[in-house]
Amino acid sequence: GAAFGRDPGLAVRGLRSFATAEGPRVVFVGKLIVSKGCDLLIAAWPLVAAANPGARLLLIGFGEYRAGLERLLAALDAGDLEAAREVAAAGRALEGGEEGELRYLRAFLDAAPAGYAEAARAAAGTVDLAGRLEYSEVARAVRASDAMVVPSTFPEAFGMVAAEAAATGALPVCADHSGLAEVAGALAGVLPRGVGELTSFELGPGAVDAIADRLNRWLALPEDELAAARGALAEAVRSRWSWEGVARSVLSASAGDLDSLDRVPPA
């Protein structure tokens, strides 16, 4: 169906809008399903766009929840928080599952900050759902990004997409659990005090506010601090998770075993 197929026109429009952004660029890469938490990022976006003129958000991926996300976007573009609450109430029913409320989205909408509806209307047109892209297109979009949000609400074995973003110098903002927490924690350790905490956020009723907070604080860093942090992120990934880095770790761990073998007298 339309949720899974590649739409060349949609892809071109999304990439072109992203490439010509006059402000910061934020990206999501993954399946468009409820468990990936895209609703949290979309709800946070008006708070980011308000603080960063010209900013754009690009969601890359396909899945059963695309129509639900489009419905949420339309509600926010209109500043209609009641319609957005209806999306939160329907939950997984919009991707073909059983109806069940999106608790974190609903918690935010029920206590939305003053001026949020107006900010949502002002942010209309700054979000693109590009659908399925080729790997080379995804790579270019990630390299052009200032930050990537990985808001999964279900466990992830390893935060590979977050590591790939960090390799380009883009800040990955990850939900603080499972394999995502492993990557975010490792990256936090190489960033300056007060900046490392921006790599993760706690899932819960405050998740939407937390995503906006992490992005806005990162994007507000002075240019020299931002450049230093980007370099530290890229180097951390290169040393820890590149093929060369993994090989060094394996060789280092096995060196002791090889030394002990050298000391074993021949039979």
Side-chain angles (χ1 to χ4, degrees), residues 97-257:
E98 292 185 10
E99 189 159 316
E101 187 172 74
L102 303 178
R103 293 179 294 126
Y104 304 151
L105 175 60
R106 182 60 188 260
F108 171 76
L109 293 171
D110 283 348
Y116 178 72
E118 291 76 11
R121 282 196 293 270
T126 63
V127 180
D128 288 291
L129 277 70
R132 183 173 67 81
L133 299 182
E134 300 299 336
Y135 180 79
S136 61
E137 295 169 332
V138 176
R140 286 198 297 273
V142 172
R143 282 197 298 269
S145 301
D146 295 283
M148 172 187 282
V149 182
V150 191
S152 296
T153 57
F154 276 58
E156 301 278 355
F158 180 73
M160 180 58 72
V161 70
E164 290 175 345
T168 72
L171 178 74
V173 179
C174 304
D176 191 14
H177 62 75
S178 62
L180 297 177
E182 176 188 347
V183 172
L187 296 174
V190 306
L191 293 172
R193 190 181 192 90
V195 178
E197 65 190 51
L198 304 183
T199 63
S200 65
F201 67 93
E202 185 177 346
L203 278 178
V208 172
D209 288 301
I211 291 171
D213 169 75
R214 300 326 186 248
L215 289 173
N216 283 337
R217 287 166 59 192
W218 171 254
L219 297 173
L221 286 178
E223 195 56 44
D224 58 337
E225 293 182 29
L226 200 55
R230 290 184 188 283
L233 286 170
E235 173 57 25
V237 176
R238 189 192 67 77
S239 63
R240 290 171 180 268
W241 297 304
S242 68
W243 284 113
E244 294 83 358
V246 171
R248 280 196 300 273
S249 298
V250 171
L251 289 173
S252 176
S254 61
D257 295 335

Side-chain angles (χ1 to χ4, degrees), residues 33-112:
I33 54 178
V34 168
S35 62
K36 290 295 183 180
C38 305
D39 58 296
L40 304 177
L41 172 55
I42 286 175
W45 186 248
L47 301 176
V48 179
N52 298 276
R56 294 203 69 92
L57 171 62
L58 182 67
L59 285 86
I60 300 172
F62 56 88
E64 300 97 328
Y65 196 49
R66 181 187 177 98
L69 294 175
E70 290 174 331
R71 183 171 159 185
L72 177 60
L73 266 175
L76 293 178
D77 285 355
D80 188 345
L81 301 193
E82 188 52 44
R85 290 187 190 96
E86 291 173 3
V87 174
R92 290 182 180 277
L94 297 181
E95 68 173 13
E98 292 185 10
E99 189 159 316
E101 187 172 74
L102 303 178
R103 293 179 294 126
Y104 304 151
L105 175 60
R106 182 60 188 260
F108 171 76
L109 293 171
D110 283 348

